[in-house]
Amino acid sequence: MEAPLEQAVAMRPAEKGPVQEPAAKPAEEGGLAAGRTIASRPPQGGEQPPPDLAGQSVYVIDANSLIFQVFHAIPEMTSPRGEPVNAVFGFTRDVLHILETRKPGYLFCAFDMAGKTFRHDLYDQYKVNRSEMPDELVPQFPAIFRLLEALQIPVLGLESYEADDILATVARLTEEGQGECYLVSGDKDCRQLISEQIKIYNVRKDQVYDAAALAADWGVRPDQVVDFQALVGDPVDHVPGVPLIGPKLARELLEKYDTLESVLDHAHEVAGAKRRQNLLECREQALLSRQLVRLDTQVPVAIDWQAGRVGAVDPAAALELFAEFGFHRFAQQLRVRQGEASTRPAETNYRRAASSEDLRQLVAALTAAKRFGLHALTSPDPPADAELIGLSFAWTPGEAWFVPLGKPAAVSGADPAASLAALREVLEDASIAKVGHDLKGIVRALAGAGVALGGLAFDTMMASYLLDAGERVHTLDELAERYLGQSTVKPAELLGTGKSQKRLNELPAAALTPYACQAADLPLRLAAILADKLREADLETLFNTLELPLIEVLAELESRGIRVDVDRLAELSRQYGERLETLEREIHTLAGHPFNIASVKQLQQVLFEEQKLPVLARTKTGPSTDVSVLEDLARLNPQHELPAKIIAYRQYAKLKNTYVDALPALVNPRTGRVHATFQQAVAATGRLSSSDPNLQNIPIRTESGREIRSAFLPGNDDWLLLGADYSQIELRVLAHFSRDETLCRAFACDEDIHARVASQVFGVPIEGVTSDMRRTAKAVNFGVIYGQSPFGLAKTLLIDQDQAAQFIKAYFDRYRGVEEFLTKILVECRAKGYVSTVLGRRRAIRGIRAVGGRQRNLPERTAINTVIQGSAADLIKQAMIGIHRRMRREKPAARMLLQIHDELVFEVPPDEIEVMARLVTEEMAGVQELAVPLKVDVKTGRNWAQTEPWV
């Protein structure tokens, strides 16, 4: 029986110190699965010799290095069940890329073992600075082991040795077997192994690194790498090297003296008194450093070469894992590779309406059916400009009609307008139920053609979203595969790819018919399945009373858009350009020379080598320069202006590129407005998101954000914008759910909740609360709910951790109902596997710990966030529907324009301000009976930035 990898110890993430590859590298809890997974010493009798590898390529992956790299490179990503999977995703992507493009003969994965290695016996400070494993990475290792088992890729590992040593051993054996070995690693130690038959493969860049690349990079031969590293040292692994001997000098010394011993023997000849002294005094340190960086090519690890031969995967296991992780693209790739892509139905009756008689028969059939699947085929332009190419209809599964409406593909004997006129009555009839996938898009396409679609009955995209909010993909292709086991006609099959790719509106109607008809037929067939699942999950009411009615509201907002002042944006572009030039000059002056501020490498050199600022975090490419590090540097070194200037430069550059310069190109020349798309099925919490442009990311509280908002105007020059914002909606939702008496009483009395919390946490009368106290309370209010640690709070408030811990304790001591409620969420989620919002929206979540604490892991934060933020999203969606219906009844001239999280924006004529302020406030405040009152702040102004409170 194969020995399992040593069980990992789950550790909390490091909340201070350098961010590096973790010191603890866990194996799968309880050991690896049996089968082709290997992690043991060889059987008695010695090392298993490799087979004849002549002409074969052997790839061996430094798994820990790659996992750590992708974990930090890929933003936070969760599975449909709320578990972190960004490292799993990146690792899977890279492994599949190697299998697909490099086509190795053999493939192995080497892992570091938990615990110390033989190098620690040589030098107890080895890797002493390594940080602990981040919480979000720990549970991803078992998932990766399961994935490797399904892909039939062996795992190698042995106590007391590092993965690099395993790579070195496999490389040596491959070379002896006359094969070619490719080391998939970002670790520079592997450069010492390079030979004619051994090379490094950079999967990130899809590049092979050989002796020529090494010579161009370091200026040394592979056999000089350990000597080079012994001189230079490695601060990441805490390899000491020789002080003041950098890469340039090390290269020159080895070029002149060839080996480390020779360099040390001739140390007295080296120019520079201090360098010469260091070489003379640090001889033993340099030799020790070489021992630490030299890889062991004789690791006694069992290598089952037959298991390592790339062959068939376990497709059922792999597809099950891809579904669990939400990796649908990988699943499709695997099906294609296995030749097991799902089939299309053998019998379909897809027809094209080719005459006026066909149209007459179609209308009669749709009228009699009283329910049909519908799809609108449009050109690939922004929705406000898209051309309606045709409509497809399905009222019986497997049967559908396509009515071409674009020129020159119109129905024979009728122009597009006449064809659409023939269909208008049945499309606008609210008593005839319409089923579709993304009905909002269909509503918009028809509205652009002058048709008001009625009878919205079922949207398969929205049903899928409600059933599995954590899923990232709700396309019709995916739903057909998931629920019907059926593949679909893909756009590439019709349009081609590359330079010869066509547009949909360039194809003849006959070619479009199968593609268009399936888009009406599949939703009709899926609707029955998904409707049953909605009932089973108790989501039918939420679907019918919230998400489905919201479609019409959002379609109107998108069609209407909001007016943008392009002249104001042009002026801001000029101002921001001048500010960037000024900041650039100031940054160069502070640095002492010009450099490329956008270059991470040059910025690292300026900040940490030249300016000697402390290294607070590390990445694989060196000291981190991300915004959180720059903010910490600015706080820790207030006398040093450079980090703050760089932050300002980045902010202005981002705002200029993302909004100031980009928004004018998004203004529709016909309407003078930008028409953002509101994504209803993206955010797992139930919140809306927006795109093209993303208006929700414009900063609210910064001066630059207000400047950008000043370019958003009402449609008429003499009108005003009215903004209505829920006041502290998430804290009110928290009070409602927790029923905490102190919190509820504060809201009932309409107190400043942050001042009240400050008063109670600091133990002073509310009139004695200072602005700093209130700021602290606000940070506590929003931080501790989601599990912010004392370190995190201390960092936010610039106080020590003990003081932050006291604030957190004082908060929960005072608001015991809050802590009881948060604990209840997690206990119930662990038991049921999901959490629910105020209106019953559900999200499945796994990974809740049996014994938690006030500091939360990602699934726990996700669970709490879904309940609180998701409930707030439910309420504002409900308010939007209520306002929309009331405005339809009362018919004011005012129009709803935007929803930005907890805020609604309207354009209103001056004589309707009072009426609309009252209407909006009543609908928003009265949308749901909560344990505390819902408060709405209303502001009005000439533009979005200059709104003032309405009284």
Side-chain angles (χ1 to χ4, degrees):
M1 181 176 179
E2 295 168 348
L5 286 180
E6 182 176 329
Q7 183 171 337
V9 179
M11 293 178 293
R12 294 212 51 73
E15 295 188 301
K16 61 182 178 179
V19 177
Q20 306 165 17
E21 187 174 343
K25 292 137 184 184
E28 182 175 11
E29 189 169 339
L32 290 174
R36 294 162 62 95
T37 311
I38 305 166
S40 65
R41 296 186 180 276
Q44 289 185 355
E47 176 185 278
Q48 179 189 356
D52 181 5
L53 297 175
Q56 294 287 331
S57 62
V58 178
Y59 281 71
V60 56
I61 300 172
D62 181 351
N64 289 82
S65 173
L66 183 56
I67 291 167
F68 176 80
Q69 193 177 74
V70 296
F71 173 76
H72 285 285
I74 298 173
E76 184 178 284
M77 176 188 295
T78 57
S79 73
R81 300 298 177 265
E83 297 168 298
V85 291
N86 60 331
V88 184
F89 174 84
F91 186 82
T92 304
R93 177 197 59 196
D94 290 348
V95 169
L96 294 180
H97 173 78
I98 291 169
L99 289 170
E100 184 71 22
T101 64
R102 305 300 297 180
K103 302 189 183 305
Y106 295 80
L107 179 60
F108 300 93
C109 274
F111 281 83
D112 291 326
M113 305 295 289
K116 295 183 177 181
T117 70
F118 70 89
R119 292 180 178 86
H120 291 91
D121 296 331
L122 295 172
Y123 182 53
D124 61 5
Q125 294 299 299
Y126 181 64
K127 293 191 176 182
V128 71
N129 289 332
R130 286 298 173 98
S131 57
E132 296 178 346
M133 180 78 66
D135 260 3
E136 277 69 40
L137 183 54
V138 171
Q140 298 191 61
F141 271 81
I144 288 171
F145 287 130
R146 292 168 61 204
L147 172 80
L148 291 171
E149 183 70 18
L151 296 178
Q152 301 287 276
I153 298 172
V155 168
L156 305 176
L158 191 63
E159 294 87 350
S160 299
Y161 295 93
E162 297 181 57
D164 287 346
D165 298 312
I166 306 291
L167 266 65
T169 300
V170 173
R172 190 255 308 168
L173 292 170
T174 301
E175 192 170 37
E176 291 173 358
Q178 304 302 309
E180 273 198 303
C181 188
Y182 292 88
L183 309 173
V184 185
S185 175
D187 199 318
K188 293 180 173 62
D189 290 350
C190 288
R191 296 181 179 189
Q192 65 190 264
L193 303 171
I194 291 173
S195 70
E196 285 295 318
Q197 292 170 255
I198 303 171
K199 299 176 179 65
I200 296 171
Y201 175 62
N202 186 325
V203 68
R204 289 270 70 72
K205 299 179 180 178
D206 193 23
Q207 290 178 350
V208 173
Y209 191 94
D210 56 13
L214 174 63
D217 190 3
W218 280 358
V220 299
R221 305 185 307 270
D223 64 291
Q224 293 177 310
V225 166
V226 290
D227 293 347
F228 178 89
Q229 292 177 291
L231 288 166
V232 174
D234 184 352
V236 173
D237 288 346
H238 211 255
V239 175
V242 179
L244 297 182
I245 306 298
K248 183 175 183 293
L249 181 57
R251 179 176 68 248
E252 293 172 353
L253 292 172
L254 290 171
E255 185 177 7
K256 183 174 183 179
Y257 299 111
D258 196 55
T259 67
L260 176 63
E261 284 85 352
S262 183
V263 169
L264 297 173
D265 289 343
H266 293 81
H268 58 281
E269 300 174 5
V270 175
K274 188 59 179 175
R275 289 170 176 169
R276 184 166 56 249
Q277 180 184 352
N278 286 347
L279 282 168
L280 289 168
E281 293 179 353
C282 297
R283 181 185 185 94
E284 293 305 317
Q285 183 170 296
L287 294 173
L288 171 63
S289 296
R290 185 170 63 178
Q291 282 185 280
L292 294 175
V293 299
R294 176 173 282 142
L295 300 181
D296 191 337
T297 63
Q298 304 290 332
V299 177
V301 64
I303 302 175
D304 186 340
W305 289 92
Q306 183 59 38
R309 183 179 288 276
V310 173
V313 304
D314 182 345
L319 290 173
E320 183 179 345
L321 287 176
F322 291 157
E324 177 184 329
F325 301 148
F327 300 163
H328 303 295
R329 177 165 57 88
F330 297 156
Q332 183 59 30
Q333 290 173 356
L334 179 59
R335 291 190 187 98
V336 171
R337 277 196 294 272
Q338 296 294 116
E340 297 178 2
S342 54
T343 58
R344 292 172 185 159
E347 296 183 9
T348 56
N349 184 18
Y350 291 167
R351 301 173 57 188
R352 173 170 57 94
S355 66
S356 298
E357 178 58 23
D358 285 346
L359 273 178
R360 187 193 65 77
Q361 291 181 20
L362 175 61
V363 170
L366 295 174
T367 303
K370 292 296 183 183
R371 179 183 176 90
F372 58 82
L374 175 65
H375 180 70
L377 197 64
T378 61
S379 64
D381 298 298
D385 297 319
E387 171 195 351
L388 183 60
I389 298 171
L391 296 171
S392 51
F393 304 86
W395 61 96
T396 300
E399 295 191 17
W401 284 65
F402 174 55
V403 180
L405 297 171
K407 296 177 181 179
V411 174
S412 177
D415 63 22
S419 298
L420 191 59
L423 295 164
R424 179 185 297 276
E425 185 175 350
V426 74
L427 289 169
E428 294 188 341
D429 191 337
S431 68
I432 300 177
K434 282 75 172 185
V435 174
H437 189 84
D438 187 12
L439 282 174
K440 178 163 63 68
I442 300 172
V443 170
R444 282 207 62 183
L446 285 169
V451 176
L453 183 65
L456 307 186
F458 201 91
D459 188 323
T460 51
M461 181 179 76
M462 292 310 306
S464 172
Y465 169 67
L466 281 186
L467 288 166
D468 214 340
E471 270 284 359
R472 292 180 293 277
V473 180
H474 301 281
T475 63
L476 186 58
D477 294 339
E478 175 58 31
L479 298 188
E481 175 68 53
R482 192 185 309 167
Y483 293 109
L484 303 175
Q486 178 180 327
S487 65
T488 55
V489 179
K490 305 296 191 299
E493 297 176 44
L494 290 177
L495 306 175
T497 57
K499 293 182 179 179
S500 61
Q501 183 174 348
K502 297 178 184 269
R503 289 164 56 95
L504 279 173
N505 50 338
E506 295 173 344
L507 296 179
L512 291 172
T513 298
Y515 177 73
C517 284
Q518 76 174 6
D521 176 30
L522 291 174
L524 187 68
R525 287 194 271 162
L526 287 164
I529 299 170
L530 296 175
D532 286 343
K533 290 185 176 295
L534 288 172
R535 279 191 291 274
E536 291 168 7
D538 200 22
L539 291 167
E540 190 176 31
T541 299
L542 183 67
F543 177 80
N544 288 320
T545 62
L546 190 73
E547 297 296 356
L548 201 60
L550 188 65
I551 289 171
E552 187 177 2
V553 181
L554 296 178
E556 281 195 15
L557 264 60
E558 291 179 3
S559 296
R560 186 171 296 127
I562 184 169
R563 181 183 167 201
V564 170
D565 185 346
V566 294
D567 292 335
R568 171 62 174 156
L569 290 172
E571 173 61 19
L572 286 176
S573 180
R574 184 190 62 77
Q575 292 176 11
Y576 282 25
E578 291 176 354
R579 290 178 195 176
L580 285 169
E581 289 177 2
T582 300
L583 283 166
E584 184 177 44
R585 286 195 300 270
E586 291 173 348
I587 289 168
H588 289 167
T589 299
L590 290 168
H593 61 84
F595 70 98
N596 182 358
I597 301 170
S599 168
V600 172
K601 188 173 182 180
Q602 292 185 38
L603 192 57
Q604 289 171 339
Q605 181 177 339
V606 167
L607 290 176
F608 306 111
E609 295 180 24
E610 298 173 11
Q611 300 295 319
K612 307 299 183 185
L613 289 170
V615 175
L616 302 182
R618 288 188 180 273
T619 69
K620 277 291 182 181
T621 60
S624 173
T625 61
D626 68 20
V627 68
S628 63
V629 169
L630 293 175
E631 287 172 347
D632 287 345
L633 288 172
R635 291 191 187 104
L636 294 170
N637 305 272
Q639 77 285 355
H640 206 306
E641 299 179 65
L642 195 53
K645 295 285 187 185
I646 294 168
I647 293 172
Y649 182 89
R650 285 183 177 178
Q651 289 173 341
Y652 275 114
K654 181 178 180 180
L655 290 173
K656 185 174 187 295
N657 294 332
T658 306
Y659 294 106
V660 176
D661 292 343
L663 278 171
L666 296 173
V667 174
N668 186 295
R670 179 174 51 84
T671 65
R673 297 175 177 237
V674 293
H675 299 264
T677 297
F678 291 93
Q679 309 284 358
Q680 197 177 352
V682 172
T685 58
R687 269 189 165 188
L688 297 176
S689 60
S690 69
S691 61
D692 305 318
N694 181 358
L695 300 176
Q696 296 177 336
N697 276 0
I698 300 175
I700 297 174
R701 294 176 179 85
T702 66
E703 180 60 31
S704 54
R706 286 189 289 272
E707 288 172 343
I708 294 171
R709 286 186 169 213
S710 71
F712 290 82
L713 308 171
N716 302 66
D717 289 339
D718 59 336
W719 285 27
L720 299 171
L721 288 183
L722 182 149
D725 191 359
Y726 276 126
S727 172
Q728 299 173 339
I729 183 65
E730 292 185 19
L731 292 177
R732 291 174 191 270
V733 168
L734 176 65
H736 167 73
F737 277 122
S738 70
R739 296 298 203 272
D740 181 271
E741 291 184 10
T742 307
L743 198 58
C744 288
R745 189 182 311 115
F747 279 124
C749 296
D750 196 23
E751 292 180 345
D752 179 337
I753 194 64
H754 300 312
R756 171 52 64 191
V757 171
S759 167
Q760 293 166 337
V761 168
F762 284 97
V764 299
I766 195 166
E767 59 272 12
V769 170
T770 66
S771 59
D772 283 344
M773 289 178 180
R774 187 183 185 278
R775 182 175 66 88
T776 298
K778 186 174 182 179
V780 172
N781 272 331
F782 290 111
V784 300
I785 295 169
Y786 300 112
Q788 188 174 35
S789 66
F791 172 77
L793 185 61
K795 181 177 172 181
T796 300
L797 299 175
L798 297 179
I799 58 178
D800 63 57
Q801 289 190 50
D802 289 340
Q803 190 178 4
Q806 285 301 315
F807 283 144
I808 293 173
K809 181 179 184 301
Y811 177 90
F812 283 121
D813 285 347
R814 176 66 65 173
Y815 298 95
R816 294 185 181 278
V818 171
E819 186 161 35
E820 290 170 3
F821 165 64
L822 298 179
T823 301
K824 180 182 177 184
I825 289 177
L826 301 180
V827 170
E828 291 184 353
C829 182
R830 180 175 170 83
K832 297 188 297 185
Y834 65 87
V835 291
S836 301
T837 67
V838 68
L839 294 186
R841 184 186 307 277
R842 290 186 181 184
R843 183 176 183 185
I845 295 174
R846 289 194 312 204
I848 307 298
R849 296 168 296 181
V851 179
R854 288 176 178 168
Q855 296 177 35
R856 320 288 186 196
N857 65 18
L858 179 58
E860 291 160 355
R861 293 197 303 272
T862 300
I864 292 169
N865 185 57
T866 298
V867 173
I868 296 175
Q869 195 178 91
S871 294
D874 286 352
L875 294 176
I876 197 161
K877 284 180 175 180
Q878 204 172 19
M880 291 173 73
I881 295 168
I883 292 168
H884 175 76
R885 289 172 175 169
R886 188 164 165 187
M887 289 177 70
R888 285 222 165 159
R889 289 195 308 270
E890 300 181 11
K891 295 183 171 50
R895 295 180 286 259
M896 194 188 316
L897 303 179
L898 300 175
Q899 190 256 55
I900 309 295
H901 297 318
D902 305 326
E903 179 186 12
L904 298 177
V905 179
F906 304 79
E907 55 184 10
V908 186
D911 60 350
E912 287 185 0
I913 286 292
E914 185 173 350
V915 171
M916 282 303 299
R918 190 169 292 113
L919 183 155
V920 171
T921 301
E922 288 172 359
E923 292 297 325
M924 291 179 70
V927 73
Q928 190 81 9
E929 188 70 31
L930 299 184
V932 296
L934 286 172
K935 184 179 179 182
V936 181
D937 295 327
V938 176
K939 297 181 179 181
T940 62
R942 293 292 178 185
N943 61 54
W944 197 8
Q946 295 176 355
T947 54
E948 298 293 337
W950 176 83
V951 180

